[in-house]
Amino acid sequence: QPPPLQPTAQHAAPPPAAAARDERPPSTADADEDELARAIRMSIEQHARDTERDALGGRGAEQKARVRMDPGLFPLLIGKRQANLNHLRRTTGCRLSLLKEEGCVELRHNDPAVVAVGKARVEAIAADPEAFKAEMHTIRSEEIHVFVDNSNIFLGAQYVEGARRSRDASIRLNIDGVASVAERGRWIRERVVFGSGGHLQWVWKRWKELGYKTHVQGSQEGGETFVDDALIAQMLMSILSTHTPRTLVLLTGDGNDNQGRASFFTTVSLALQRGWKVEVWAWRSSVSRRYKDLEMCYADTGLYQLNFLDEWRDELVVVPRHLRQQAPDAAAAAAGR
C-alpha cells in the first residue's frame, strides 16, 4: 500500500468545508442564537403568508391548532440547522410556526385528524422536553449517505404546483434548506452531488461550502446521461463497499430504466435488498411512479420512505428580485437561450 500523497501544488489538500465523510453530528441538538433568530423570522414570515392565504381562501378548509410552549424550549425544538424542526414537521405532517411573542407553536394541515395528532405530539414535547432530546440524540446517531441529482431537483422546483407542464424558470433552489431537510442533523458518512450546467457557479460553490463533493458536467449533448451514470456508479460503490447496511438518502424523482444500464431505481432496489434503509426525496411534479410503488412493497418493513419536497416548498424555492417581474414564460425562454 503506497503512502498517501502529500499536499503539493498539484495535489492540494481540500478545505475543511469540503470534507464529505465521517462528519459526526453536533454534541448538542439545540440551535444557537443565530439559528434561533433565523428560524423564528422564517416562522413569522410563514405565518404571515398563511394568514394572507386564509384571507384569500387560498388553502381551502385548512385546519390549525396552537400549543402553548415556553419560548425557552424553541432552541431544542429547532435544533442545529433546523434538523429537529424538520424532523418534527416530517413526522407530524403539519406545517409548524414558532410564535415567540404569543409563546406558542401553531400547526396547520388540511386534515383535522393530522392536526390533532400533531398537536398531541407538540404537547408531549412541551411537557417532557428531555424525552424529545433523547429521541433526537438517537436520530443523530444514524449514519447516512446523501446523493443529490441536482438537475432533477432544481428543475422539479420550477414546475408550478398543480400545473405539471407550466415551468417558471425564474425559480431558484434554496440549497441550504434542501440539505437541512434531507440530512436532519444525522451522522453524515458521505455527501455527493452531481449535475450539469458549469455556468451555475453559485450553485456548486454553495454545495461545496455545505460539505458536498460536487461533480459538474458541461451542458453539451449527452451530458445529463453521463451525470446520471456517474452518480449511480458512486452510489453503487458505497452500497457494495459498506459491510454494515446504513441509510441511503437520494434526492431525485428520476425512475427511468436508463436504457438498460444501472439506474437510480435499480440502485435503490439493490440497496433495499442488501438491508439498507432508503429515503427518496423528490418533487411531486417530477417523481416516478416506480418510487410510489416501492412504498407498497416495503410498507411493513420500515426500510423505505418516499418524501415530497413540496411540503417545504415555501422555504425551499426562491425567486431572485431581478427576476420577480418577469413572466414565467419569458424567464423560461431566456433560460433556454
Side-chain angles (χ1 to χ4, degrees):
Q1 180 72 23
L5 287 172
Q6 296 300 314
T8 65
Q10 290 77 27
H11 303 283
R21 291 182 180 270
D22 296 328
E23 180 183 309
R24 293 179 179 271
S27 58
T28 175
D30 294 2
D32 60 28
E33 291 185 6
D34 290 341
E35 290 171 325
L36 175 63
R38 182 166 56 252
I40 290 177
R41 184 181 69 250
M42 291 175 62
S43 283
I44 293 172
E45 293 171 354
Q46 175 65 58
H47 185 256
R49 289 193 295 268
D50 287 338
T51 301
E52 182 178 357
R53 288 191 183 108
D54 288 344
L56 297 174
R59 287 195 185 269
E62 191 172 59
Q63 306 297 309
K64 59 185 177 181
R66 288 189 172 190
V67 176
R68 300 293 300 176
M69 180 176 286
D70 180 356
L73 292 178
F74 283 3
L76 171 62
L77 202 64
I78 295 167
K80 289 290 185 182
R81 292 178 61 187
Q82 301 193 40
N84 298 5
L85 190 60
N86 287 333
H87 169 74
L88 195 57
R89 286 186 59 176
R90 190 179 68 84
T91 54
T92 64
C94 297
R95 292 199 322 284
L96 304 175
S97 297
L98 309 184
L99 307 178
K100 186 176 181 180
E101 295 299 322
E102 290 90 337
C104 68
V105 178
E106 185 173 272
L107 302 89
R108 286 175 172 256
H109 194 275
N110 290 331
D111 187 341
V114 173
V115 173
V117 172
K119 182 173 182 285
R121 173 90 159 104
V122 176
E123 287 174 338
I125 294 172
D128 187 2
E130 290 301 318
F132 181 64
K133 186 179 293 186
E135 175 187 344
M136 294 310 304
H137 177 76
T138 300
I139 289 171
R140 293 200 310 279
S141 67
E142 182 181 1
E143 300 175 63
I144 68 173
H145 296 244
V146 188
F147 297 92
V148 183
D149 177 1
N150 184 78
S151 300
N152 184 277
I153 296 301
F154 194 94
L155 292 175
Q158 294 183 336
Y159 283 89
V160 179
E161 185 178 4
R164 188 185 182 94
R165 296 182 180 179
S166 177
R167 180 186 173 197
D168 183 352
S170 67
I171 287 176
R172 299 293 181 263
L173 202 60
N174 174 3
I175 293 172
D176 293 63
V178 171
S180 176
V181 165
E183 293 175 8
R184 289 178 24 235
R186 292 172 287 181
W187 185 351
I188 310 296
R189 283 292 192 172
E190 186 173 19
R191 287 186 179 104
V192 180
V193 56
F194 277 68
S196 59
H199 61 289
L200 300 173
Q201 292 300 317
W202 65 272
V203 172
W204 310 115
K205 179 176 182 291
R206 191 57 194 149
W207 280 121
K208 286 180 180 179
E209 290 171 347
L210 293 175
Y212 281 76
K213 288 183 177 179
T214 61
H215 302 265
V216 188
Q217 177 70 14
S219 57
Q220 64 267 29
E221 184 177 356
E224 200 56 47
T225 299
F226 170 83
V227 166
D228 290 349
D229 286 345
L231 182 55
I232 290 162
Q234 187 75 34
M235 292 166 59
L236 286 170
M237 184 173 68
S238 296
I239 293 166
L240 297 175
S241 63
T242 303
H243 299 297
T244 303
R246 294 174 178 165
T247 298
L248 174 71
V249 180
L250 174 61
L251 281 77
T252 190
D254 185 352
N256 294 328
D257 62 12
N258 204 23
Q259 300 179 358
R261 301 187 300 274
S263 67
F264 289 118
F265 181 78
T266 58
T267 304
V268 164
S269 298
L270 175 65
L272 289 166
Q273 291 165 14
R274 293 176 69 91
W276 282 58
K277 292 182 179 180
V278 175
E279 297 175 12
V280 173
W281 292 81
W283 297 100
R284 293 185 187 276
S285 64
S286 59
V287 67
S288 168
R289 175 164 248 351
R290 302 175 83 180
Y291 293 121
K292 297 178 181 178
D293 292 341
L294 273 182
E295 283 190 299
M296 293 187 289
C297 295
Y298 288 89
D300 300 324
T301 67
L303 291 178
Y304 177 75
Q305 294 177 355
L306 174 60
N307 304 283
F308 292 110
L309 294 167
D310 305 70
E311 304 300 326
W312 285 267
R313 184 174 182 85
D314 286 342
E315 292 87 4
L316 299 185
V317 300
V318 179
V319 180
R321 290 183 179 178
H322 69 284
L323 294 176
R324 288 177 186 172
Q325 301 305 315
Q326 295 187 28
D329 291 343
R337 286 200 294 267

